[in-house]
Amino acid sequence: SWVLDLYTLFHSRDYKAFRLVMQDEEGVDRIGHLLIPPGDGPHPCVVAFEILDGPHDVSEGMAKALVDRGYAVARMERRPLDLPHQNKPEVVRDRLREGVVDARRLLDWLVTHPKIDPKRLAAAGVSVGSIQALLLTACDPRIRGGFYVLTGGNLAEILYDSSETPVREFRDRLM
């Protein structure tokens, strides 16, 4: 988004940005991003999750707001769902699970980074990303806190009631 590009232009000296490349369990490259605030550290770190679909503006904006406040922020780019062309419900389940597995792999690396405080790790997300952040919090004891925005507790009901066009089309094809 042009707002985030403008922010980056004016604040790029306020943090260090890194592109991460990690391999998944099948050897496929997964892309991530790490923002580190100024100072020696170690810094508390938030693992941020993406929304269901669309551009990465939400998690990138969240990351830049957090790095401004002294947090390091790590996030993996989500695996594509391709809801407009998807016919298999298990793909949604698998993509959510794979995102959490990717985040745990990211945590394995983060706890070895000299600028990251391994005792001050959190998870955060918006919408479906908050479900993944909660799943990570529940299954990984290294996560000590977090914030979860617009979290829904019943994924089947969310898919059924959604007004988003790709989600509605996916639901209608399954029904």
Side-chain angles (χ1 to χ4, degrees):
S1 108
W2 65 271
V3 173
L4 291 173
D5 291 341
L6 194 59
Y7 176 91
T8 303
L9 177 67
F10 288 113
H11 292 278
S12 62
R13 293 183 184 175
D14 297 343
Y15 59 88
K16 296 212 182 296
F18 300 92
R19 181 176 186 265
L20 308 174
V21 179
M22 305 179 97
Q23 290 191 335
D24 66 12
E25 58 276 2
E26 295 173 6
V28 176
D29 284 351
R30 302 282 303 119
I31 305 302
H33 305 275
L34 175 64
L35 301 182
I36 298 181
D40 293 334
H43 303 284
C45 184
V46 176
V47 176
F49 286 89
E50 302 284 350
I51 59 175
L52 177 69
D53 202 13
H56 298 154
D57 295 354
V58 174
S59 66
E60 185 180 345
M62 179 173 35
K64 289 178 177 177
L66 287 166
V67 79
D68 256 359
R69 288 158 179 82
Y71 293 90
V73 183
R75 61 188 179 88
M76 297 298 293
E77 291 182 4
R78 75 174 158 264
R79 295 173 188 240
L81 276 173
D82 192 26
L83 285 179
H85 304 99
Q86 194 53 256
N87 292 316
K88 299 177 184 174
E90 61 272 10
V91 170
V92 174
R93 178 203 60 214
D94 293 346
R95 290 299 176 269
L96 293 176
R97 182 192 164 281
E98 290 163 351
V100 175
V101 171
D102 288 343
R104 292 193 80 188
R105 188 173 293 108
L106 177 62
L107 279 172
D108 292 342
W109 179 77
L110 285 170
V111 298
T112 67
H113 196 290
K115 296 266 188 174
I116 304 298
D117 185 343
K119 293 184 178 11
R120 296 189 297 164
L121 300 171
V126 176
S127 189
V128 168
S130 67
I131 293 172
Q132 289 180 296
L134 281 163
L135 290 170
L136 179 64
T137 302
C139 74
D140 200 310
R142 296 173 291 187
I143 299 294
R144 303 289 179 108
F147 61 93
Y148 319 99
V149 181
L150 299 173
T151 308
N154 183 339
L155 191 55
E157 187 175 338
I158 292 168
L159 291 172
Y160 182 78
D161 289 337
S162 178
S163 61
E164 293 183 37
T165 301
V167 176
R168 279 194 343 258
E169 291 172 352
F170 172 67
R171 175 197 64 218
D172 292 347
R173 278 193 307 280
L174 292 179
M175 292 172 74

